[in-house]
Amino acid sequence: MSDLQRIAELEHQKSELEALVIVSQADGDVVGRLNFATRLEIVNTELDALRKLDTRVAEVAILFGGAPVDGSRSIDTMFATQALTYFQAIVTRLFASNLRGELAKRGKIKGADLAALSIRGIATGSFGFILEEKDAGQASAINTPIRESLEEATALFEEFTQEDDDDFLIDVDAINPRVFTALAKFFRHMEKNEAVLKANLPDRQYTFDRAGIERAYRRISETHVRIEPVTWTGTLVGLSPIKRTFDFKRDGAEEIISGKFSHQVSQDYLERIESEEGITLGDRFHAKIEIGTIRKPDGTISVSYTVTDLEEAPPRRP
């Protein structure tokens, strides 16, 4: 496990010392500049050492500020409970949408069971919590799937709070509608309670101020998401088990739709479909599909298709 609290403290010291070095140099204070520069070098050395201890598991220090928080003394219980619930929902949906390989071979699994985060301790500096995945004490050679979902969640926070509206309109196309809905609940909660947020991972730190939270809330309010479940029967004309993508032609339709399989469709099943010894492409299937429609602030629309279940269907009668 990483010492997230110490890393956050050192990052704060680093910022202060860098500013002091610049001020002392501008004032011509040679002794002061050397003193601050020496302390900065010590802080950087300790930071580098702590980051090398990154065990590649999911762990994050979530610190809240603003109206629900009284310095580093206390936080409103209702606000904190709901905020952590919404944050967990984001990580869970990202984890579930990215499941593949060995994890997905388990078939219809609940992402919430595998992606659950636990509170390891209290994070100070404002008021917050240190969250980690189960078995976080066991180091991993590469980032665990939950660590990847956690990093993706914080990257999405950056996309929603960024200043450039044009970039936001591009980035939102790649967001799964269910993930978007989870993000919307989180930012509505933050805006409603006039809160701000810091997220400290072992290798990076994020700060989301009131202006950023307000931008995210505005974009969410101007973006509309609709998820429509349908069941279609047709022909599977394309499949990539590795990328978990499909091409499907519905009976009676000319258009071929493309999309992704959800974690509910197991990897083993997809590989059997592609195998020459099993089910073959071109066969007919009953497909349960979620059609996600996102209407963006500029009026443009993006549509995604996600298969949640797939069953063999009898051949069409001549």
Side-chain angles (χ1 to χ4, degrees):
M1 295 181 289
S2 302
D3 190 345
L4 295 178
Q5 185 61 50
R6 182 57 180 164
I7 289 174
E9 292 171 357
L10 290 171
E11 282 288 346
H12 181 68
Q13 291 180 30
K14 178 182 176 180
S15 297
E16 289 186 336
L17 288 169
E18 287 174 340
L20 289 171
V21 167
I22 293 173
V23 170
S24 58
Q25 185 170 3
D27 292 343
D29 184 357
V30 178
V31 176
R33 186 185 67 79
L34 289 174
N35 181 38
F36 294 135
T38 300
R39 289 165 57 188
L40 179 60
E41 184 177 351
I42 293 171
V43 168
N44 281 328
T45 299
E46 186 177 352
L47 261 176
D48 290 341
L50 286 174
R51 287 192 175 122
K52 288 179 181 178
L53 297 177
D54 186 355
T55 54
R56 305 293 182 183
V57 297
E59 47 186 344
V60 62
I62 297 291
L63 295 104
F64 299 103
V69 179
D70 181 10
S72 58
R73 293 180 60 253
S74 63
I75 187 170
D76 181 87
T77 303
M78 294 295 290
F79 166 80
T81 301
Q82 196 63 68
L84 291 178
T85 299
Y86 288 146
F87 183 80
Q88 174 68 75
I90 295 168
V91 175
T92 298
R93 281 161 177 73
L94 285 167
F95 177 81
S97 66
N98 293 334
L99 279 180
R100 62 180 65 193
E102 292 301 318
L103 286 170
K105 283 184 179 179
R106 302 181 187 183
K108 296 185 178 180
I109 58 180
K110 294 182 179 179
D113 295 336
L114 294 178
L117 298 170
S118 302
I119 297 177
R120 188 175 90 207
I122 301 298
T124 58
S126 176
F127 198 100
F129 307 89
I130 297 176
L131 310 176
E132 66 180 17
E133 66 176 287
K134 296 175 182 177
D135 301 323
Q138 300 178 8
S140 174
I142 59 175
N143 286 353
T144 65
I146 309 177
R147 169 67 174 267
E148 291 180 351
S149 298
L150 199 57
E151 291 184 352
E152 191 175 350
T154 49
L156 285 173
F157 284 4
E158 276 207 311
E159 289 186 10
F160 270 74
T161 58
Q162 66 182 317
E163 295 184 18
D164 195 323
D165 281 331
D166 291 336
D167 282 347
F168 173 73
L169 294 176
I170 295 172
D171 294 333
V172 76
D173 283 328
I175 300 176
N176 179 290
R178 288 194 178 277
V179 173
F180 184 97
T181 300
L183 285 163
K185 291 180 180 179
F186 180 81
F187 280 115
R188 284 195 186 101
H189 184 64
M190 295 292 291
E191 170 65 15
K192 175 184 175 182
N193 289 277
E194 300 180 353
V196 296
L197 174 72
K198 289 183 180 180
N200 298 330
L201 280 73
D203 59 345
R204 67 198 76 177
Q205 290 74 42
Y206 299 90
T207 298
F208 307 102
D209 59 15
R210 283 296 303 147
I213 298 294
E214 288 171 0
R215 278 193 297 272
Y217 176 73
R218 172 177 57 79
R219 288 164 174 161
I220 286 167
S221 299
E222 296 173 353
T223 304
H224 303 282
V225 176
R226 184 166 64 94
I227 300 175
E228 178 188 3
V230 298
T231 300
W232 288 344
T233 300
T235 305
L236 192 64
V237 297
L239 170 70
S240 173
I242 300 300
K243 295 181 180 180
R244 296 183 62 79
T245 59
F246 70 88
D247 299 301
F248 187 83
K249 186 175 183 298
R250 182 171 47 143
D251 288 352
E254 294 297 326
E255 177 189 11
I256 295 177
I257 65 165
S258 301
K260 292 187 175 183
F261 291 99
S262 78
H263 71 282
Q264 294 167 295
V265 182
S266 74
Q267 190 75 11
D268 179 66
Y269 187 58
L270 296 182
E271 290 173 356
R272 278 201 300 118
I273 292 175
E274 190 185 45
S275 171
E276 292 182 0
E277 299 177 356
I279 308 166
T280 59
L281 291 178
D283 285 349
R284 297 178 71 248
F285 291 87
H286 298 303
K288 291 185 178 179
I289 299 175
E290 288 185 344
I291 305 174
T293 304
I294 298 180
R295 183 184 294 275
K296 292 169 281 187
D298 66 346
T300 59
I301 297 174
S302 62
V303 180
S304 64
Y305 300 91
T306 304
V307 169
T308 60
D309 198 9
L310 198 64
E311 296 181 356
E312 296 174 66
R316 297 185 70 176
R317 295 180 180 178

